[in-house]
Amino acid sequence: MGSGTRAGDVGLAVRHYLDHLAIERGLARNSLTSYRRDLHRYLDFLSEQGVETLDQVTEGHVLAFVGRLREGDEGHPPLATSSAGRTVVAVRGFHRFVVLEGMAARDPAGDVRPPAPPRRLPKALTLTQVEALLAATGEGRTPKELRDRALLELLYGTGARISEAIGLDVDDLDTESASVRLVGKGGKERVVPVGRYATEAIDAYLVRGRTPLLERGPGGAALFLNSRGGRLSRQSAWTVIRSAAQRAHISGEVSPHTLRHSYATHLLDGGADVRVVQELLGHASVTTTQIYTLVTVERLREVYASAHPRARG
């Protein structure tokens, strides 16, 4: 079959490609079903466009098909980004195959990329929720309650990653300058300020909580200790936060990263420069930090929509 393959033979080419996926690549039945559905959708589109041969397909046709997938039109509802992306992958694979097999002279889909999934806005707690979460650690009557409060205050008060927090040693704290030395990704160090509430919680834990825990095991220099006196693990730290969130009746997933998100968002809401927040978070690029500005813009939109008399039609 050469470059003069008629429209009726495009379906045959698809069948050859599906056979290739099933026999030579051993694609699972469910995946094969998805490829078949996606390619038949594509062939229907080409037929609507009056395309009669494989070599008549241009990049413009493929781009128009991607637009149809994402935006829809009469009789064709739009697909979710993930479904549209899967379909584009199937189309790209098909065109690459027919070129390699000599069924077409060129690949019109080679430079067409699947639609990128939308950037998910980080979830940030409100200040009221943060205060409820911190209060849910208890009244500080036991070493565990003191430790949990200090851990959560530190996470929210410094924006530390959970790995950075549980990796802290007592000597990483500088009480005179109210700062802490964090070791981030790639061993990169940064010094960040520690606010008054976090400082007070950590001091209370060091004075009344850490020593009783240390007596139970070989915690050594570790700042945060578990009930057996060893260094607190990542999994245990997650449990501390989830348990506090449940007691505070905060719905949805609340993780250590939620506190990091909240730290960054509340700083930006308060007027902090994005590059300062970048340094505090230990991001190598400001582009990573800028996703938090999307949260604040979204919040501004909500306030505007609810408060401005001409915001709603």
Side-chain angles (χ1 to χ4, degrees):
M1 195 185 305
S3 61
T5 302
R6 306 300 295 176
D9 291 327
V10 179
L12 180 59
V14 168
R15 288 197 293 275
H16 285 325
Y17 180 52
L18 292 173
D19 287 344
H20 164 74
L21 294 177
I23 299 171
E24 297 185 32
R25 291 181 51 186
L27 214 63
R29 178 178 297 180
N30 289 342
S31 298
L32 203 60
T33 299
S34 295
Y35 268 83
R36 182 178 293 107
R37 179 176 60 249
D38 294 338
L39 289 172
H40 284 173
R41 188 195 305 269
Y42 178 55
L43 294 180
D44 288 343
F45 173 81
L46 293 179
S47 178
E48 291 173 15
Q49 303 303 308
V51 174
E52 296 185 353
T53 69
L54 281 170
D55 281 343
Q56 284 181 331
V57 182
T58 66
E59 184 176 293
H61 287 120
V62 181
L63 290 172
F65 178 63
V66 175
R68 160 83 66 84
L69 295 175
R70 293 296 292 121
E71 300 172 12
D73 57 22
E74 186 175 353
H76 300 91
L79 297 183
T81 303
S82 58
S83 298
R86 185 200 63 226
T87 303
V88 174
V89 168
V91 169
R92 281 167 49 87
F94 168 67
H95 278 292
R96 186 166 53 249
F97 172 80
V98 296
V99 169
L100 291 173
E101 293 295 312
M103 300 179 190
R106 54 188 173 77
D107 181 358
D111 294 328
V112 177
R113 295 291 176 263
R119 299 182 78 180
R120 293 185 177 180
L121 297 181
K123 177 186 176 182
L125 301 176
T126 65
L127 181 57
T128 300
Q129 287 177 318
V130 171
E131 291 173 342
L133 183 73
L134 295 169
T137 56
E139 299 180 5
R141 296 176 179 174
T142 67
K144 180 181 179 300
E145 289 181 353
L146 290 165
R147 180 205 64 195
D148 293 353
R149 179 62 177 256
L151 174 64
L152 267 61
E153 288 278 13
L154 179 80
L155 289 171
Y156 175 66
T158 65
R161 301 177 179 92
I162 189 60
S163 57
E164 295 170 344
I166 62 175
L168 284 173
D169 290 338
V170 175
D171 288 344
D172 291 321
L173 298 168
D174 187 335
T175 55
E176 290 187 8
S177 63
S179 63
V180 63
R181 182 180 67 91
L182 299 173
V183 181
K185 294 181 178 179
K188 184 179 179 181
E189 296 185 6
R190 68 187 188 280
V191 177
V192 299
V194 182
R196 180 171 61 86
Y197 288 103
T199 299
E200 291 177 352
I202 293 171
D203 285 345
Y205 164 63
L206 289 174
V207 172
R208 296 186 285 120
R210 184 176 179 276
T211 299
L213 292 175
L214 185 60
E215 291 173 350
R216 303 175 187 176
L223 175 59
F224 294 111
L225 304 176
N226 60 33
S227 59
R228 297 179 302 279
R231 186 181 293 273
L232 190 69
S233 69
R234 184 187 185 93
Q235 182 178 357
S236 296
W238 271 72
T239 301
V240 168
I241 296 171
R242 286 174 175 163
S243 298
Q246 290 176 354
R247 290 192 295 270
H249 305 292
I250 299 174
S251 60
E253 177 72 17
V254 179
S255 70
H257 228 60
T258 305
L259 290 173
R260 182 169 160 88
H261 293 329
S262 303
Y263 168 83
T265 302
H266 295 170
L267 280 173
L268 290 166
D269 281 344
D273 182 86
V274 67
R275 292 196 177 274
V276 173
V277 177
Q278 174 196 356
E279 291 296 324
L280 292 170
L281 291 174
H283 286 159
S285 170
V286 73
T287 303
T288 308
T289 315
Q290 283 174 335
I291 190 172
Y292 295 102
T293 65
L294 300 177
V295 179
T296 61
V297 170
E298 192 66 27
R299 179 172 174 272
L300 290 174
R301 285 199 187 99
E302 293 175 359
V303 173
Y304 170 76
S306 63
H308 196 280
R310 302 287 288 183
R312 298 181 299 275

